[in-house]
Amino acid sequence: MARPVGLCELPRGSRERAVLVHCRAGFEREAADELAGHAAARGMSGTTEARPGLALFTPAPPVALARIAAALRYADLVFARQLLFSSALCTGLLVGDRVAPLVAAARAQANRYGEIVIETADTEASKPLLRLCRGLASPLRQALRSAGLLGDAHVDPAWPRLHIIFLRSDSARVGLSYPGNSSPWPMGIPRLRAARGAPSRAGLKLEEAFLTLLTAGEREERLRAGMVAVDLGAAPGGWSWELARRGLSVTAVDNGSLCGEASESRLVRQVRADGFRFRPARPVDWMVCDIVDRPDRVTDLVARWLLEGWCRQCIFNLKLPMKRRLETVWRCREAIGQTLAAARLRHRLTFKHLYHDRIEVTGYITRLS
Ligand SMILES: C[S@@+](CC[C@H](N)C(=O)[O-])C[C@H]1O[C@@H](n2cnc3c(N)ncnc32)[C@H](O)[C@@H]1O
């Protein structure tokens, strides 16, 4: 990975370097343990902190932000909705006098930013801080421009984004994210709307998966009208409808009934069957699976579809009602990896706890040959 641009050191004494990720409230421990696990695999030790909607990893002894940033990949982190590198914790911020210390911390962190994001944790308790974030947007932007710190992301898309993350009205972390190593959305939250006619909001989960787990090029190449998909555990039809909306022909497998436009679409054909036993008559482009079952059963099913050549790629959901959620995802990832590696099937597998996922994560696997 290219060395991140624009980093500079903070004066001694004001260093509060940490990796900070946004996550769904209730999943802070998983996000923190995952960060520590990835850091340890790259030879860094440190302490973790889980606070509502956020997880932090502070390397000990301190490590330059550039080194941490080069070691951690957003795409590899399952429970992180957004990946930030924070150089300072600004405390004692006073009403009417917040801009100057935040600009000073931003200046100490990097030479130039392409964008600024003012945010807080995605929790009920943090909602009142959103007003403060909105109110500061314009004065901070102006002050950063006057200081020559804020450029135009269109000029150089590699410039980092400046993040100001309010923890309380008088304290904020100052950090940055790299456009190629983070979510494009503030707090990692895509603003998607269920289109009219959607049978369920579950379709948003698949839409977010396409936007998050596939590159723009992959979406163009792999989600073309005329392609063929199988949707296992399809009812009431949100995922089938999302695929049909993109022009794919869908076999929707479920003993339950499809609703609304999914039941009326000429591109959706329902088969009442057990998704674990269903076999396609011929290979399809996509298999998607939202069956509520044990993660290891779903994992075996996905591996089987790829091994048998029944599909080229797959998006699937693993439900995580158990306590050891991080270990469960790691175990499933390893199981698929080992099964496919034994068959010499080259593949790419990514998991993400999407914004529209609740107690579950979404996986994307594609054959590489
Ligand atoms: C979470 S819902 C799916 C929602 C769907 N993705 C949507 O967008 O509307 C899970 C579905 O899995 C189905 N299901 C559970 N076990 C199944 C099995 N063995 N075979 C097929 N469908 C199954 C249930 O009937 C239920 O409709």
Side-chain angles (χ1 to χ4, degrees):
M1 188 186 128
R3 189 179 186 281
V5 294
L7 290 176
C8 64
E9 303 288 74
L10 269 182
R12 274 196 187 284
S14 55
R15 288 176 186 175
E16 275 286 349
R17 288 181 192 139
V19 184
L20 187 152
V21 301
H22 285 275
C23 63
R24 188 181 187 89
F27 286 81
E28 297 86 357
R29 201 61 262 163
E30 283 77 6
D33 289 349
E34 186 178 33
L35 274 180
H38 279 267
R42 283 150 191 86
M44 281 180 263
S45 54
T47 54
T48 57
E49 185 188 336
R51 44 186 306 154
L54 298 171
L56 282 96
F57 172 74
T58 308
V63 173
L65 273 191
R67 193 179 145 217
I68 320 177
L72 290 174
R73 299 290 312 159
Y74 169 69
D76 294 338
L77 298 169
V78 179
F79 291 95
R81 266 192 208 158
Q82 180 59 292
L83 173 63
L84 309 175
F85 303 97
S86 167
S87 64
L89 173 65
C90 294
T91 54
L93 296 169
L94 301 174
V95 181
D97 192 23
R98 293 186 178 102
V99 172
L102 291 174
V103 170
R107 188 200 299 281
Q109 180 176 255
N111 305 324
R112 196 116 167 121
Y113 302 95
E115 245 183 274
I116 171 167
V117 181
I118 310 172
E119 61 197 341
T120 182
D122 178 31
T123 63
E124 278 306 309
S126 295
K127 284 215 165 114
L129 291 173
L130 287 172
R131 208 163 144 227
L132 163 64
C133 296
R134 279 193 294 272
L136 266 180
S138 172
L140 251 177
R141 197 175 290 276
Q142 271 178 21
L144 290 162
R145 281 209 197 285
S146 305
L149 289 170
L150 191 60
D152 185 342
H154 296 295
V155 176
D156 187 347
W159 278 334
R161 295 181 212 102
L162 169 64
H163 289 255
I164 310 288
I165 311 104
F166 273 91
L167 306 176
R168 295 189 335 202
S169 61
D170 64 350
S171 76
R173 274 210 162 263
V174 174
L176 50 74
S177 67
Y178 296 99
N181 193 19
S182 59
S183 163
W185 305 296
M187 294 152 73
I189 302 178
R191 300 288 168 194
L192 306 178
R193 285 202 172 178
R196 243 190 316 148
S200 69
R201 287 184 57 80
L204 295 178
K205 208 160 55 173
L206 188 59
E207 188 181 356
E208 185 185 351
F210 287 145
L211 290 174
T212 305
L213 304 174
L214 277 68
T215 63
E218 284 174 335
R219 283 194 294 279
E220 202 163 305
E221 182 201 326
R222 298 174 184 198
L223 286 168
R224 285 204 309 266
M227 288 185 157
V228 180
V230 168
D231 180 2
L232 303 179
W239 287 28
S240 292
W241 186 80
E242 176 61 31
L243 291 160
R245 193 167 77 90
R246 293 169 181 269
L248 280 79
S249 299
V250 188
T251 302
V253 181
D254 203 307
N255 279 315
S257 299
L258 300 185
C259 297
E261 288 189 12
S263 61
E264 291 155 16
S265 169
R266 61 179 179 79
L267 288 175
V268 180
R269 175 182 72 101
Q270 179 165 16
V271 173
R272 290 186 187 273
D274 180 350
F276 288 97
R277 292 169 179 272
F278 176 84
R279 310 282 172 261
R282 58 190 69 84
V284 297
D285 300 290
W286 283 93
M287 185 273 267
V288 296
C289 176
D290 195 18
I291 291 178
V292 180
D293 209 304
R294 288 196 337 252
D296 58 332
R297 278 200 88 201
V298 173
T299 302
D300 287 350
L301 182 68
V302 168
R304 173 126 203 247
W305 271 71
L306 278 141
L307 276 180
E308 300 283 355
W310 293 337
C311 68
R312 176 164 178 78
Q313 59 236 318
C314 177
I315 284 186
F316 57 104
N317 213 254
L318 298 184
K319 315 294 173 186
L320 302 172
M322 66 291 294
K323 280 211 175 105
R324 302 178 76 83
R325 300 185 285 212
L326 179 59
E327 290 82 349
T328 302
V329 177
W330 279 352
R331 212 178 38 244
C332 289
R333 181 161 58 192
E334 205 176 310
I336 295 193
Q338 279 178 358
T339 308
L340 298 187
R344 296 180 188 277
L345 200 151
R346 289 180 54 240
H347 65 281
R348 176 160 65 86
L349 171 62
T350 322
F351 284 104
K352 207 67 175 162
H353 192 197
L354 302 174
Y355 174 67
H356 291 92
D357 280 335
R358 288 169 184 266
I359 307 196
E360 58 199 340
V361 293
T362 299
Y364 167 54
I365 186 161
T366 179
R367 297 172 66 121
L368 292 178
S369 45

